[in-house]
Amino acid sequence: MRDKSDFVAYVEARSPRLLRTAYLLCRDWAQAEDLLQTTLVRVWRAWGRVGEYQDAYVSRVLVNTYLSWRRRFWRRELPTDAPPETVVPDDRIGMIDERAVLWAALGRLPPRQRAVLVLRFFEDLPESAVAEILNCSIGTVKSQSSKALAKLRIDPEIAPPAVASRMEGELG
């Protein structure tokens, strides 16, 4: 049985990484903070039973909470194409534009495929750990990852038009 003071130390040490993972799933800082807070409340209740694999347990609770929110709630806020602020030219704007395009494409993926990519490539977890967190087989992780990457490859916002149309034809 774990001591609750261990939980405080765990949260202090892991919160930045967990918040980043929550943000990568939600793509919104406020929603990521809510997701992390809800996750930590659920984990705190079960902390005495968690055992030595607390990172895997917390990751599973985080992803499951995110997926349940996606199933349960519709989007209350609708993003707009153009922000209300004026754009100021900057030398780094090209890199920021590329990042924004990638985030938008990641956001168009189904929640489970997005979760696989975030855990697999942003969190750098092995397929077996992702499968355990998502409570699925390694084959499912591989297929979801493959499908998500294929969708990103043919996304017209990312791929050049000739590549996107050729890939779309090959995939069906």
Side-chain angles (χ1 to χ4, degrees), residues 61-113:
V61 172
L62 182 76
V63 170
N64 286 346
T65 302
Y66 162 72
L67 292 172
S68 72
W69 281 9
R70 293 288 301 182
R71 284 188 294 264
R72 192 176 315 150
F73 301 121
W74 57 276
R75 278 219 160 103
R76 292 183 177 99
E77 297 176 14
L78 298 175
T80 60
D81 288 335
E85 304 89 23
T86 58
V87 177
V88 178
D90 189 348
D91 294 341
R92 298 169 292 172
I93 201 74
M95 185 172 41
I96 293 170
D97 285 344
E98 289 175 4
R99 182 178 283 178
V101 168
L102 181 58
W103 287 127
L106 192 62
R108 288 189 290 273
L109 292 174
R112 195 152 176 96
Q113 288 180 3

Side-chain angles (χ1 to χ4, degrees), residues 106-165:
L106 192 62
R108 288 189 290 273
L109 292 174
R112 195 152 176 96
Q113 288 180 3
R114 185 181 328 147
V116 167
L117 290 186
V118 166
L119 293 171
R120 186 78 179 92
F121 299 107
F122 288 99
E123 288 297 316
D124 201 26
L125 295 176
E127 291 165 342
S128 58
V130 175
E132 185 178 328
I133 290 168
L134 295 176
N135 198 28
C136 63
S137 69
I138 293 175
T140 299
V141 170
K142 290 179 180 181
S143 69
Q144 291 292 300
S145 178
S146 175
K147 288 176 184 177
L149 292 173
K151 284 183 182 181
L152 290 177
R153 281 187 202 104
I154 63 169
D155 190 301
E157 298 291 322
I158 296 175
V163 173
S165 63

Side-chain angles (χ1 to χ4, degrees), residues 35-85:
L35 175 60
L36 179 57
Q37 185 67 32
T38 302
T39 298
L40 292 176
V41 167
R42 290 180 179 175
V43 170
W44 183 81
R45 291 180 189 149
W47 190 250
R49 302 183 309 265
V50 170
E52 64 183 81
Y53 302 107
Q54 58 264 45
D55 285 335
Y57 182 82
V58 173
S59 293
R60 177 180 276 186
V61 172
L62 182 76
V63 170
N64 286 346
T65 302
Y66 162 72
L67 292 172
S68 72
W69 281 9
R70 293 288 301 182
R71 284 188 294 264
R72 192 176 315 150
F73 301 121
W74 57 276
R75 278 219 160 103
R76 292 183 177 99
E77 297 176 14
L78 298 175
T80 60
D81 288 335
E85 304 89 23

